[in-house]
Amino acid sequence: MSVDQIGSGVPGLDRVLAGGYVAGTPTLLLGPAGCGKTLFLLQFAAETAARGQRAVFATCTESPERLASYMEALGQPVDRILADGLLVFVDLRPIHDEMVEGQYNLDVVKVRIDAALRVNGRTPEDARLCIDDLNRLAYAFDPEGIARETTLALLRLLRDANVTTLITMGVDDPERVTPVTYAVDTIIELNQTVENRLMTRTLRVPKMRGVGHGTNAYPFLIDESGPRLIPITGMDSVYQSRGDKVSTGHTRLDELLGGGLFRGSAVMITGASGTGKSTVLGQLAVGLCAAGMTGLYLTFEQDKTELCHDLGGVGLDVGTLIETKRLDIQLVRSVDYGLEEHLIRITRVVLEERPGYLIIDAVTALNDLGKTSAVKGMLLRLIDVCKANAITLIFAELLTDTEQTGSILGLSSLLDVWIRVELYRQSGEYVRLIRVLKGRGAATSSQLKEFRISSDGIAIEDAYTGAGSYVFGTEKLMREQVEAFERDEAQQQLGRLKKEMSQLPITFDARVAQTELEREAAMESLRTEIATLERRVAGLANDAEHVRIARGGNG
């Protein structure tokens, strides 16, 4: 069955109602005092006027002047709406002095409402009526609290006239059943609860004929623009595809992340106190803004001045980003609102400002407002909102123990990137370490890196892995110094050996030359001695011959 529906004018409510109030039928809003029933009617009247249609507001409690002031406080141009005839107030407040004994007759009420609805002698098909509040009129003088027959007759008249009607009824017990609840097509229950001294307003739709509406209890808040809510379930949950990668502004961090962060991704940074989570968030804020994105930074811990000072002290200039309106930093105290109101307020500012990225530092500040499961549910819905609007969500989670390895909130399954910073105790000191535990769609590094913070920013360095060891910090520096000294000595020894090797041929060549000279000298000496001896032998032979001849012998 198809039914016509009309926008409520309340952000988020049309999604719960699967399109808005059912046209041409009465809708009953039940709830105790202070839950915002009248504001729902004023929002509907303003929405009707914005569409150029006429609305009649029958008041049984507040004066028309006060209601007009309420609309003006909500930012509605009430004077123009009244001047254009798009809103007509009907004052139905009962006056005790004019009451007489006996049953109270509502016929005059029907006549006045019918007269206000008529335009040129007839009730238009798109007539809109708001009645606030019905039990003030029908039950004020009825000690039994039972709806009168004339009240039901009024509802039948409105239904037969095809008038879209919103009716408020103040009740202390929303479960109370009256004939009126059977006479309307839609019932919306408003309620408010106080837990840990924080109030949460909720809305539930127990009845809505012909429409597949949401059936849960949905939190809502009332701010300067009126009531607004975000459904717990039934959200579109249509995630926009993550876009191209954006640099974090830090080369080594980009390397760990496999090239940067995808636009529209959900990123969590976990670590104990003092590990540098806020500094990493500051680096991401500066880097993403440098890449052309605009950012919203929500902090539960420091105000804008403190955060700018602290980040500036480590070389991260966020003050310039704020001045150029590329970054907006807002302080939010966790104890100011309940979980649901925090969610609605954050969602509102995100959808209004449309930043490229949203940073929250740190979400664990919300743990005091409810159970871990409630905080997790709130963050899951926030992730849904950001992903559906292609907004990069980055938040920090404070771990209570330096030895803790997992996430307290258990959100890892819905995260695209999980960065962990930690303190590692080694040789009498604590060393900051950083690693990427998860990175969907990216070739992230699995290595554990040293993470240092200085006045020049953050530095991400490799561990010392020499001699089969794996160390960081001062011990790393000491080993690197020893290694550097040994390397220098080895290089010097190598230089000496190379020099000796280069000089060795020359030395040996000189020795060979000297040997050649000595050999030649020795040979020459021997040749001279041989020649001398040969001459001597020849001389002796000649002398013997001369002697023989002289003696006259023949041999």
Side-chain angles (χ1 to χ4, degrees), residues 90-124:
V90 177
D91 192 349
L92 297 180
R93 291 176 295 170
I95 302 175
H96 291 262
D97 293 342
E98 297 181 357
M99 297 299 299
V100 296
E101 292 184 0
Q103 290 189 342
Y104 186 68
N105 195 331
L106 292 180
D107 290 340
V108 65
V109 174
K110 291 186 289 184
V111 171
R112 294 186 62 186
I113 291 178
D114 184 60
L117 289 171
R118 289 180 174 274
V119 178
N120 298 324
R122 57 180 295 273
T123 300

Side-chain angles (χ1 to χ4, degrees), residues 340-553:
E340 306 301 341
E341 188 163 347
H342 272 300
L343 173 63
I344 299 174
R345 289 180 179 275
I346 293 174
T347 301
R348 182 190 65 178
V349 69
V350 165
L351 297 181
E352 288 177 353
E353 295 191 11
R354 294 284 176 177
Y357 66 86
L358 168 65
I359 292 178
I360 303 179
D361 184 20
V363 295
T364 38
L366 302 173
N367 285 343
D368 294 336
L369 305 181
K371 297 180 179 179
T372 300
S373 59
V375 178
K376 178 179 179 180
M378 177 261 194
L379 292 175
L380 291 180
R381 282 174 278 154
L382 181 59
I383 292 174
D384 283 340
V385 171
C386 290
K387 282 184 170 289
N389 292 275
I391 296 172
T392 303
L393 174 61
I394 307 168
F395 59 88
E397 179 190 23
L398 173 65
L399 302 181
T400 56
D401 187 358
T402 56
E403 302 298 326
Q404 189 173 352
T405 58
S407 168
I408 298 175
L409 299 174
L411 295 171
S412 59
S413 61
L414 286 182
L415 296 173
D416 300 304
V417 178
W418 183 1
I419 301 173
R420 176 178 171 84
V421 287
E422 57 189 271
L423 292 174
Y424 174 66
R425 186 171 182 176
Q426 175 187 273
S427 301
E429 67 172 341
Y430 280 101
V431 181
R432 291 186 177 93
L433 303 179
I434 185 170
R435 56 177 165 163
V436 178
L437 298 178
K438 179 179 182 181
R440 283 178 177 163
T444 58
S445 172
S446 59
Q447 295 184 0
L448 191 63
K449 303 291 185 181
E450 184 175 355
F451 167 54
R452 293 192 299 105
I453 302 175
S454 68
S455 58
D456 296 325
I458 65 175
I460 298 177
E461 301 175 348
D462 297 330
Y464 175 82
T465 56
S469 58
Y470 199 84
V471 296
F472 306 94
T474 303
E475 186 171 346
K476 168 191 170 182
L477 296 177
M478 293 174 61
R479 295 201 183 187
E480 287 178 343
Q481 290 175 356
V482 171
E483 188 177 86
F485 177 75
E486 293 175 349
R487 184 170 56 250
D488 289 343
E489 279 195 335
Q491 288 177 346
Q492 292 176 9
Q493 180 67 16
L494 181 62
R496 288 193 298 269
L497 293 175
K498 287 182 177 180
K499 183 177 180 180
E500 289 180 8
M501 185 175 68
S502 65
Q503 293 176 346
L504 187 61
I506 300 174
T507 303
F508 274 94
D509 288 345
R511 291 179 181 178
V512 170
Q514 180 65 31
T515 301
E516 289 290 336
L517 290 174
E518 292 176 354
R519 183 180 69 82
E520 288 297 327
M523 292 291 290
E524 185 61 30
S525 176
L526 290 174
R527 284 193 292 267
T528 301
E529 188 175 353
I530 291 172
T532 301
L533 290 175
E534 286 178 346
R535 288 193 299 271
R536 181 179 177 187
V537 170
L540 291 174
N542 190 35
D543 289 344
E545 182 62 27
H546 285 160
V547 171
R548 185 187 66 79
I549 294 172
R551 293 176 64 184

Side-chain angles (χ1 to χ4, degrees), residues 63 120 134 164 176 194-195 281 365 374 381 387 395:
S63 67
N120 298 324
L134 184 63
T164 303
R176 173 188 175 190
V194 178
E195 185 176 353
L281 291 178
R381 282 174 278 154
K387 282 184 170 289
F395 59 88

Side-chain angles (χ1 to χ4, degrees), residues 18 35-36 102 115 139 182 216 222 324 364 387 480:
C35 63
Y139 307 142
Y182 292 105
N216 294 299
I222 299 174
T324 55
T364 38
K387 282 184 170 289
E480 287 178 343

